[in-house]
């Protein structure tokens, strides 16, 4: 189900899907709602899961984002800016057990894309690559950076939980 509306200078898009989640070898009914709000240089994404069944539903909810800020080849101008951690190239792979905020930066493009999560979630990140056959043989070609935010849930019958991402884009100083 889809709905769209404009409200106070923002565009709101609502999506709703009733489905099932596999839990302990059984399929349980679950509703997933997603609301996107676009206002200026900000995007808010709100997820809501509701257990429609008569049993507890448990699992992990994932929100996947594939972004390209020209971060291939360990571009030193394109990196993850994690709080209190060293910067990593955008074509790195790894996991952060609990994360509240993160930025992806490309100084060459003059872009900083930040995301805040509420509540905190686990993050898996890795490059999306294709294999190309060239004169030099097979080579891996960077396509994008994949971010997978993972939030566990445990819902009693009729219970709901939510998860929010707030994306913002801002200019950043050029190459250093």
């Amino acid at each position: 189900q889809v709905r769209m509306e404009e409200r106070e200078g923002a565009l709101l898009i609502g999506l709703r899907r009733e489905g099932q989640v596999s839990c302990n070898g059984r399929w349980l009914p679950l509703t997933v709602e997603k609301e996107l709000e676009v206002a200026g240089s900000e995007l808010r994404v709100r997820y809501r899961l509701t257990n429609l069944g008569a049993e507890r539903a448990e699992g992990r909810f994932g929100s996947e984002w594939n972004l390209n800020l020209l971060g291939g080849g360990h571009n030193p101008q394109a990196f993850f800016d994690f709080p209190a951690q060293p910067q990593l190239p955008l074509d790195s792979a790894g996991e952060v057990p609990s994360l509240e905020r993160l930025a992806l930066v490309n100084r060459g493009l003059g872009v900083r894309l930040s995301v805040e999560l509420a509540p905190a979630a686990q993050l898996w990140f890795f490059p999306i690559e294709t294999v190309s056959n060239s004169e030099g043989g097979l080579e891996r070609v960077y396509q994008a950076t994949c971010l997978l935010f993972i939030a566990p849930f445990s819902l009693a019958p009729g219970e709901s939980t939510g998860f929010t991402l707030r994306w913002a884009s801002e200019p950043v100083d050029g190459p250093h």
Side-chain angles (χ1 to χ4, degrees), residues 37-115:
E37 178 181 352
V38 181
S41 63
E42 202 171 284
L43 169 66
R44 287 184 191 265
V45 183
R46 296 176 195 94
Y47 297 97
R48 182 152 220 66
L49 305 176
T50 303
N51 181 357
L52 302 176
E55 299 176 40
R56 177 166 292 280
E58 298 179 337
R60 297 192 304 172
F61 175 77
S63 177
E64 179 179 332
W65 295 78
N66 297 297
L67 307 167
N68 187 334
L69 293 181
L70 303 180
H74 272 40
N75 178 352
Q77 298 297 314
F79 54 88
F80 289 106
D81 188 5
F82 291 104
Q85 292 185 18
Q87 295 174 345
L88 291 173
L90 288 181
D91 56 354
S92 300
E95 176 183 350
V96 179
S98 181
L99 182 77
E100 293 178 345
R101 68 186 186 295
L102 160 72
L104 290 81
V105 178
N106 186 318
R107 290 193 189 282
L109 297 176
V111 172
R112 177 184 182 86
L113 182 61
S114 61
V115 61

Side-chain angles (χ1 to χ4, degrees), residues 116-140:
E116 294 178 4
L117 298 86
Q122 181 181 20
L123 169 66
W124 294 350
F125 59 96
F126 50 90
I128 305 277
E129 298 173 323
T130 57
V131 176
S132 177
N133 192 6
S134 68
E135 296 83 26
L138 296 177
E139 60 184 18
R140 292 167 31 170

